[in-house]
Each structure stands twice: as C-alpha cells, then as structure tokens.
C-alpha cells in the first residue's frame, strides 16, 4: 500500500503521509504545487535547474511535505524525478513513499552501494526515491564529501529533476552545504509559524552559502471556501 490514488486518507495511518498531488491532482492545492513547478521551469530559462533543494528556517514548517508534493508535480509533467531525502537528522521520505530505508543516500556516499542499486521506484510514475539510509554520526561531513559531488553528477545524467529534502537552516549546517551544490533552493515558510526574522536569517545564511534562492513557499495558509468563490467569479 502506497500512494494509491483515490485511497481515502483516513485509512493510511502511522507516519505515512498523504500527498495531495498524488491523491487529488485536481484540487486547488495540487494546482498551487503545479504553479510552483511552473515558476521553477521559468527560472530555468537562462540556466538549467536540475537540482532543487527544499528547506526552511525552523523545524516543522513543511519542508518534507513541499519537497514530496513538488516531486510528484514534476513527475506528473513527464519529468523523470529523483527525490532525495537529505534530511539525515529526521528523515521521512521513506515513510511518505512507503519504501524501506535499510540503505539509501548514506549507503551510496559511503560507497556501500551504488546509486543505481539504491534508488527505488514509487507508486507515482516517473518518480523515484533515494531514502536517507542509515544515519551516520557525522551527517554534515558525509553530505559535504566528494562522494556527494560524484553522486550528483551521476544523478544528473540519469534524471531530469533531483529534489532534496533537508533539515532546517537555523538548526544545522547541512542545508547550507547542500544548497551550495544545488542549482536552486526553495525556502518554505509556514503561515502563522515562521517568524519573519527567522526567515530573513535563513535567507542570509543561504546567500552566504552561495545558494541560488529560487523563491519562498508559503505553507499552511488556511483558505476559506469564499476565496475560491471569489476567484472563480471575478475573471
Ligand atoms: N499544508 C499542510 N496542510 C496540512 N498539514 C501539513 C501541511 N504542511 C505540513 N503539514 C503537516 O505538518 C507536519 C510537519 O510538516 P513536514 O514534515 O512537511 O515539515 P518539515 O519542515 O519537513 O519538518 P521537520 O523540520 O521536522 O523535517 C507533518 O505532519 C505534515 O503532514
Ligand atoms: Mg522534514
């Protein structure tokens, strides 16, 4: 049981997550993820954006949710997508996509396996996942290694888009390390949760890491049904 379309969310418990883009692609929220995808594609006009990092200032702001839905949105557009769980502090992608995590990113970086053998297919066509793998004692070092550069080069030759989930910028250095290697970064903010100073600080830290910030995503904004009424009736 994984990301089967039309399976009711309530029947999927535990830490498994429902991805609205896969479950209900026609919903307004899925449409928003497609808008983010389109904006990234426009940003890709002058220079190719293949490796996209998703991060946020603090914990629990919606990085993993955004990264996974964006990965689905890109796959639905026919891109061959690799979603990489680069959050070696609190990995969740293997729960989201219902795959084992006995090996993954760290196994490739420590040369215990190859990328080819480590990524897994998901229930979403065109979407593949490289879960975190076993958590090492020194995540920043592992992520900043030359093995990571080699992995990225190989992944770029195999996939159209590579999306990284990461830990929070204000908590650990890992996102900076990865942002420096990515073609672009997205900063997720959570409505009513992210404080503006934290977001600014995160932006500065990413800029210092020479990350190319593609934009910010506002997550958890409550939408009143009247907003849609307004939207559809005021063309
Ligand atoms: N837009 C949303 N609507 C409803 N629930 C959401 C939304 N975004 C995130 N959540 C839920 O909020 C929780 C935190 O989201 P998520 O795991 O994506 O955040 P995160 O930034 O990756 O957290 P962490 O810093 O722990 O890795 C999860 O239970 C997720 O299912
Ligand atoms: Mg997360």
């Amino acid at each position: 049981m994984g990301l089967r379309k039309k399976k009711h969310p309530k029947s999927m418990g535990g830490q498994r997550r429902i991805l609205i883009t896969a479950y209900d692609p026609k919903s307004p929220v899925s449409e928003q993820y497609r808008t983010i995808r389109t904006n990234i594609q426009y940003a890709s006009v002058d220079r190719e954006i293949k490796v996209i990092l998703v991060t946020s200032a603090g914990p629990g702001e919606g990085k993993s949710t955004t990264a996974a839905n964006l990965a689905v949105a890109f796959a639905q557009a026919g891109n061959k997508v690799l979603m990489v769980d680069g959050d070696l502090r609190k990995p969740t992608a293997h729960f989201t996509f219902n795959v084992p995590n006995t090996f993954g990113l760290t196994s490739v970086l420590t040369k215990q396996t190859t990328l080819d053998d480590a990524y897994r297919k998901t229930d979403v066509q065109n979407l593949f996942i490289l879960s975190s793998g076993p958590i090492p004692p020194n995540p920043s070092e592992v992520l900043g290694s030359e093995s990571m550069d080699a992995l990225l080069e190989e992944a770029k030759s195999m996939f159209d888009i590579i999306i990284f989930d990461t830990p929070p910028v204000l908590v650990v250095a890992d996102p900076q390390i990865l942002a420096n290697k990515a073609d672009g970064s997205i900063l997720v903010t959570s409505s009513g949760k992210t404080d503006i100073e934290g977001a600014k600080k995160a932006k500065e830290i990413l800029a210092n890491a020479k990350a190319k910030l593609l934009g910010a995503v506002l997550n958890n904004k409550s939408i009143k049904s009247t907003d849609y009424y307004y939207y559809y009736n005021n063309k």
Side-chain angles (χ1 to χ4, degrees), residues 16-18 29 33 55-56 58-67 87 90-92 165-168 188 190 193 218-221:
R16 201 163 291 157
R17 291 164 181 214
I18 306 305
V29 174
Y33 284 112
T55 193
S56 72
E61 293 179 300
K63 295 175 290 296
S64 303
T65 305
T66 304
D87 187 344
K90 209 179 147 198
T92 55
D165 187 14
T166 65
V188 177
S190 180
K193 184 167 184 180
L218 178 62
N219 186 33
N220 266 320
K221 175 95 176 81

Side-chain angles (χ1 to χ4, degrees), residues 47-52 156 179 181-185 212 214:
R47 56 184 180 88
E48 195 176 40
I49 296 175
K50 271 198 131 167
V51 182
I52 302 163
K156 281 197 239 182
K181 298 177 187 293
D183 299 322
S185 298
K212 294 142 212 103
L214 297 172

